[in-house]
Amino acid sequence: MSKKGFIFDLDGVIVDTAKYHFLAWKNLANSIGVDFTEMQNEQLKGVSRADSLNKILAWGNKNISEDVFKALMNRKNDDYLNYIEKMDASEILVDVPRVLDFLNDQAQPIALGSASKNARIILQKVKLLKKFNAIVDGNDVNKAKPDPEVFLIGAQLLNIKPAFCIVFEDSVAGVQAANSAQMISIGIGDKEILNEADYVFKDFSEITNDFLKELLK
Ligand code: B16
Ligand code: MG
């Protein structure tokens, strides 16, 4: 059995924090007179905080100064942090612990590759931080997904060549990032939406230990 590098996205793969991002962005957008729907929230998945605010401002035709922009980003994040403060292990998505434990048991290196600057706090809250050999989050990257930077840094930290890495992602931009890093991409979600991925599963309950063993060959 060979050593591979397994890289997990956070939001939409390990936990569903999209619902908290939605509430915090909606509060913020509405407070500046901009409508914000769940459909629009879909377009912010995997997108950085600053790029998300830029999209919301564009949807509402708003022009603001740099100082106000920073203040709005901080306000959204404070609100978001209040929501994730209450998170616990019950919010881990189905069968994620089984897959992480299986890979840990096989001594396979595991990294997190997330756009979120709050990734460490969230992993701590749901008590999964210790399962990861490396964490790459929004604080470590200059270029957002679909740029492969986040996953390439992950591979480097795990000391595994990109071609031997496997990425689990729920966003189109994330799947594209994994593909341009020359990694195997596994989409978690809808086959139609994630059609650029090498494999797609609805969730981890569909990913058997036998499938994981195949990836290790
Ligand atoms: P933060 P992921 C992403 O996480 C979210 O999908 C995206 O909606 C969010 O804007 C981004 O993190 C930044 O999050 O404001 O906490 O830094 O899917 O890359 O794990
Ligand atoms: Mg995601």
Side-chain angles (χ1 to χ4, degrees):
M1 213 173 268
S2 62
K3 253 202 175 83
K4 297 283 167 75
F6 288 85
I7 309 181
F8 291 74
D9 174 51
L10 179 66
D11 174 31
V13 169
I14 292 179
V15 285
D16 175 21
T17 37
K19 60 187 179 209
Y20 302 128
H21 282 297
F22 172 67
L23 293 171
W25 280 128
K26 187 172 170 54
N27 290 342
L28 184 97
N30 292 168
S31 77
I32 56 167
V34 177
D35 274 346
F36 185 67
T37 63
E38 299 223 27
M39 288 279 278
Q40 285 166 318
N41 193 53
E42 281 301 308
Q43 296 180 48
L44 302 187
K45 283 189 178 173
V47 174
S48 73
R49 199 181 307 165
D51 289 349
S52 300
L53 181 52
N54 272 323
K55 278 181 188 274
I56 290 171
L57 294 172
W59 289 327
N61 271 322
K62 297 271 174 195
N63 269 315
I64 55 170
S65 70
E66 219 172 285
D67 284 350
V68 176
F69 188 91
K70 276 188 194 145
L72 292 182
M73 288 231 293
N74 287 339
R75 206 199 307 160
K76 184 269 174 179
N77 197 50
D78 288 345
D79 199 15
Y80 177 66
L81 285 173
N82 272 328
Y83 288 113
I84 62 175
E85 176 61 31
K86 295 164 205 117
M87 283 183 84
D88 61 27
S90 67
E91 297 204 41
I92 300 170
L93 292 174
V94 63
D95 270 18
V96 169
R98 171 185 54 82
V99 170
L100 291 175
D101 287 343
F102 178 83
L103 297 173
N104 279 158
D105 288 348
Q106 307 287 323
Q108 295 295 319
I110 304 178
L112 188 86
S114 164
S116 174
K117 294 188 171 174
N118 297 301
R120 278 175 192 272
I121 312 174
I122 294 167
L123 285 183
Q124 241 159 12
K125 284 271 160 213
V126 302
K127 300 205 162 48
L128 285 180
L129 191 57
K130 289 202 182 92
K131 309 265 181 206
F132 290 83
N133 304 99
I135 307 279
V136 190
D137 66 16
N139 301 293
D140 306 308
V141 294
N142 294 312
K143 288 171 256 166
K145 300 168 189 175
D147 189 281
E149 186 185 20
V150 62
F151 297 138
L152 291 173
I153 298 175
Q156 212 168 24
L157 291 177
L158 295 179
N159 204 15
I160 303 281
K161 289 201 175 78
F164 296 110
C165 287
I166 295 123
V167 172
F168 297 94
E169 251 296 343
D170 71 310
S171 72
V172 174
V175 166
Q176 290 168 341
N179 290 345
S180 50
Q182 311 293 322
M183 299 176 177
I184 292 177
S185 53
I186 302 188
I188 302 293
D190 191 318
K191 275 197 172 69
E192 311 258 295
I193 296 171
L194 301 173
N195 55 29
E196 290 173 59
D198 294 313
Y199 305 88
V200 183
F201 299 97
K202 178 174 61 70
D203 57 38
F204 281 92
S205 70
E206 289 188 348
I207 301 184
T208 62
N209 290 356
D210 283 345
F211 173 77
L212 295 171
K213 275 187 204 153
E214 282 297 312
L215 293 175
L216 295 179
K217 280 184 183 161

